[in-house]
């Protein structure tokens, strides 16, 4: 076990955006500039404008204030818990100075589980912008109403009801009383398994990724399900639906009938992080790829994530490997240092406006309805209860992988960024989660 402390930190060198990525952003009309000039919030109030830096190993144990020294000393002891096993990566940063307060195997790439969603969210907000909305459309042609998916993972039955009312009115105005219903989900490529996925994920973890879904339901075919809901709403409006709902691409000559705009991307990201929603993550990954003119696939989406993190923010991609947007892939590998560097961006005044929804979407310790809520048994031990309401962090859980990465204000009044990732522990997962919660409480300083 190494106590990794340093007075100088990582000193990331700011990297200019690559020409290819810059052109892609221009084509996609990315709203980055205004967001980068947003005033810092309380989270970043004590942080001067900083440069992004290449991850470096921690070399010395000086330059820590008393609160930070206690964090380092206590983590040295507590990170030796048997529940963490032998494959553990962790790091704590001071957000204002980029100083590394503590680290252990911080550059070791491990399965991040849902901590990968932090990378997905960062890329999506950068490419599309926080105010971006996804559009679901209805068009008519040759006796058929086509419901066209636009990547809105928050589409509801109530939304489809309104679309059905508009469509039914148009049908009746045209002197018709019956139509066929088709769904068009051609925005995304045909669903496939990501590298590192298996068929069992479709049972209870994620749906085959399609561009049309209603009520966020886990389903083998979310598009047809949405079409059936839409058809039912048409029937309620007095329009007969002929035959079964089919799938096909709407002809370009079809006439627009109605459309629905999703909540903003910032709201979508918040829900994705609070609930650790895998389906939202995979949809957002594809919409991000489309945003720079690439196909809506796992491969293209993850390539854009890497381009944005490295080309725009200067985050090191050493040992960084992802194959999906959700972190379900057992082939994903991200070092704790890189996860912390990604999270550290939200504390930077230059990016605060753009990435605010990541900060606001992080589950708060003890927050009911989030993945850190009491219903999940989080922050409920004698050691960690003191951090309820004081820590916000992204959880991550796969068989053989548990992670917790987030932010907390330490006893020195300064925000600390932490990332803890455990793989292959033989301990009860609940005990491992309790240990990680205790480490977060240690960073906060309430478990002194």
């Amino acid at each position: 076990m190494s106590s990794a402390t340093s007075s100088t930190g990582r000193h990331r060198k700011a990297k200019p955006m690559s020409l290819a990525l810059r052109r892609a952003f221009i084509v996609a009309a990315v709203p980055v500039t205004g967001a980068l000039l947003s005033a810092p919030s309380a989270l970043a109030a004590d942080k001067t404008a900083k440069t992004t830096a290449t991850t470096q190993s921690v070399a010395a144990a000086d330059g820590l204030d008393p609160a930070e020294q206690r964090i380092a000393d206590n983590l040295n002891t507590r990170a030796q818990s048997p529940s963490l096993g032998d494959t553990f990566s962790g790091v704590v940063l001071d957000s204002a100075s980029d100083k590394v307060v503590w680290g252990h195997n911080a550059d070791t790439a491990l399965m991040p589980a849902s901590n990968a969603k932090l990378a997905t969210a960062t890329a999506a907000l950068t490419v599309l912008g926080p105010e971006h909305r996804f559009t679901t459309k209805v068009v008519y042609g040759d006796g058929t109403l086509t419901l066209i998916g636009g990547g809105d993972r928050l589409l509801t039955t109530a939304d489809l009801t309104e679309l059905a009312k508009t469509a039914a009115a148009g049908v009746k105005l045209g002197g018709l009383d019956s139509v066929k219903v088709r769904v068009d989900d051609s925005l995304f490529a045909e669903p496939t398994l990501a590298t590192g996925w298996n068929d069992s994920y479709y049972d209870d973890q994620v749906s085959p990724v399609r561009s049309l879904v209603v009520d966020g339901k886990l389903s083998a075919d979310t598009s047809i399900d949405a079409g059936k809901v839409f058809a039912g709403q048409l029937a309620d409006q007095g329009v007969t639906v002929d035959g079964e709902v089919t799938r096909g691409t709407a002809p370009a000559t079809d006439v627009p009938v109605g459309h629905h705009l999703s909540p903003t991307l910032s709201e979508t990201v918040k829900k994705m992080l609070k609930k650790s929603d895998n389906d939202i993550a995979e949809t957002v990954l594809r919409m991000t790829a489309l945003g720079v003119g690439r196909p809506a696939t796992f491969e293209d989406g993850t390539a854009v994530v890497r381009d944005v993190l490295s080309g725009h923010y200067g985050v090191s991609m050493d040992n960084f490997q992802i194959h999906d947007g959700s972190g379900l892939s057992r082939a994903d590998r991200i070092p704790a240092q890189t996860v912390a560097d990604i999270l550290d961006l939200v504390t930077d005044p230059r990016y605060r406006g753009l990435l605010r929804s990541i900060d606001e979407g992080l589950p708060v310790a003890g927050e009911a309805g989030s993945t850190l809520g009491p219903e999940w048994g989080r922050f409920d031990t004698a050691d960690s209860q003191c951090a309820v309401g004081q820590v916000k962090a992204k959880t991550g859980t796969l068989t053989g992988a548990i992670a917790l990465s987030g932010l907390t204000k330490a006893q020195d009044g300064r925000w600390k960024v932490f990332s803890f990732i455990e793989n292959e522990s033989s301990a009860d997962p609940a005990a491992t989660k309790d240990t990680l919660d205790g480490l977060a409480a240690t960073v906060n300083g309430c478990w002194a």
Side-chain angles (χ1 to χ4, degrees):
M1 176 66 63
S2 63
S3 169
T5 54
S6 171
S7 60
T8 56
R10 304 183 311 289
H11 299 302
R12 287 187 308 236
K13 182 179 179 181
K15 291 182 64 177
M17 187 185 297
S18 68
L19 179 60
L21 188 58
R22 185 183 298 112
R23 285 174 176 168
F25 282 159
I26 292 171
V27 169
V30 178
V32 172
T33 306
L36 298 186
L37 300 178
S38 297
S41 71
L43 179 67
D46 64 342
K47 188 183 191 80
T48 58
K50 55 190 261 189
T51 59
T52 46
T54 314
T55 301
Q56 296 179 348
S57 299
V58 179
D62 58 353
L64 301 184
D65 65 35
E68 291 170 337
Q69 191 62 59
R70 282 194 298 273
I71 291 171
D73 291 343
N74 286 333
L75 286 178
N76 277 338
T77 300
R78 294 165 186 172
Q80 297 182 56
S81 169
S83 66
L84 295 180
D86 297 324
T87 310
F88 172 69
S89 176
V91 69
V92 178
L93 313 176
D94 177 74
S95 73
S97 65
D98 276 343
K99 175 174 54 183
V100 179
V101 175
W102 177 88
H104 173 72
N105 294 336
D107 293 324
T108 299
L110 300 178
M111 273 190 293
S114 285
N115 275 205
K117 292 182 174 75
L118 296 168
T120 303
T122 301
L125 289 165
T126 305
V127 169
L128 301 173
E131 299 304 310
H132 185 82
R133 297 175 187 266
F134 307 113
T135 306
T136 304
K137 302 176 183 178
V138 177
V139 298
Y140 175 82
D142 195 24
T144 300
L145 284 171
T146 303
L147 181 65
I148 304 176
D152 179 6
R153 286 296 314 186
L154 303 186
L155 188 71
T156 66
T157 293
D159 299 329
L160 288 183
T161 298
E162 293 305 310
L163 281 173
K165 288 179 180 178
T166 301
V171 167
K172 293 176 181 177
L173 189 62
L176 302 175
D177 57 11
S178 66
V179 293
K180 295 179 181 179
V181 171
R182 171 174 56 203
V183 294
D184 181 348
D185 57 6
S186 60
L187 184 65
F188 293 174
E190 186 71 17
T192 61
L193 292 170
T195 299
W197 283 22
N198 58 66
D199 289 330
S200 68
Y201 282 178
Y202 288 157
D203 295 336
D204 58 4
Q205 295 296 316
V206 68
S207 298
V209 188
R210 303 181 190 274
S211 63
L212 181 60
V213 64
V214 63
D215 297 328
K217 291 180 179 178
L218 199 66
S219 166
D221 196 329
T222 58
S223 299
I224 293 295
D225 285 352
K228 289 178 178 178
V229 171
F230 180 65
Q233 297 299 324
L234 285 172
D236 289 345
Q237 299 300 317
V239 175
T240 300
V241 175
D242 296 330
E244 299 295 320
V245 175
T246 60
R247 174 183 281 108
T249 302
T253 53
D254 278 9
V255 178
V257 172
H259 70 275
H260 170 77
L261 294 178
S262 73
T264 62
L265 176 60
S266 63
E267 291 302 314
T268 302
V269 164
K270 289 178 192 177
K271 182 172 182 179
M272 176 183 78
L273 297 177
K274 288 285 185 189
K275 302 288 187 179
S276 201
D277 191 301
N278 297 319
D279 292 296
I280 292 177
E282 299 305 343
T283 298
V284 166
L285 181 76
R286 282 158 176 72
M287 297 307 293
T288 302
L290 290 171
V292 296
R294 298 183 67 152
T297 64
F298 287 114
E299 294 78 12
D300 287 278
T302 54
V304 174
V305 171
R306 289 190 294 270
D307 287 346
V308 170
L309 292 177
S310 62
H312 187 62
Y313 294 113
V315 174
S316 172
M317 292 290 97
D318 291 347
N319 303 317
F320 180 98
Q321 185 176 22
I322 60 171
H323 299 277
D324 59 6
S326 62
L328 281 173
S329 174
R330 301 192 64 79
D332 287 353
R333 296 291 185 273
I334 307 178
Q337 180 72 67
T338 305
V339 176
D341 285 344
I342 293 169
L343 263 176
D344 198 21
L345 296 173
V346 309
T347 74
D348 192 317
R350 293 174 296 172
Y351 313 128
R352 177 62 183 165
L354 184 66
L355 304 179
R356 184 186 304 274
S357 56
I358 295 177
D359 175 35
E360 295 175 348
L362 291 174
V364 177
E367 179 185 11
S370 78
T371 57
L372 284 183
E375 64 269 35
W376 296 101
R378 303 306 297 261
F379 287 87
D380 62 355
T381 67
D383 298 328
S384 63
Q385 280 182 331
C386 63
V388 168
Q390 305 303 312
V391 168
K392 45 189 172 183
K394 182 69 196 78
T395 56
T397 304
L398 285 175
T399 301
I402 298 176
L404 186 69
S405 301
L407 304 157
T408 188
K409 183 172 283 189
Q411 297 304 299
D412 58 6
R414 296 162 68 92
W415 285 94
K416 309 300 179 190
V417 181
F418 63 86
S419 178
F420 304 123
I421 305 175
E422 173 280 320
N423 281 189
E424 301 176 6
S425 173
S426 60
D428 181 343
T432 301
K433 291 176 183 178
D434 286 343
T435 299
L436 295 187
D437 292 349
L439 297 185
T442 300
V443 178
N444 174 265
C446 65
W447 184 19

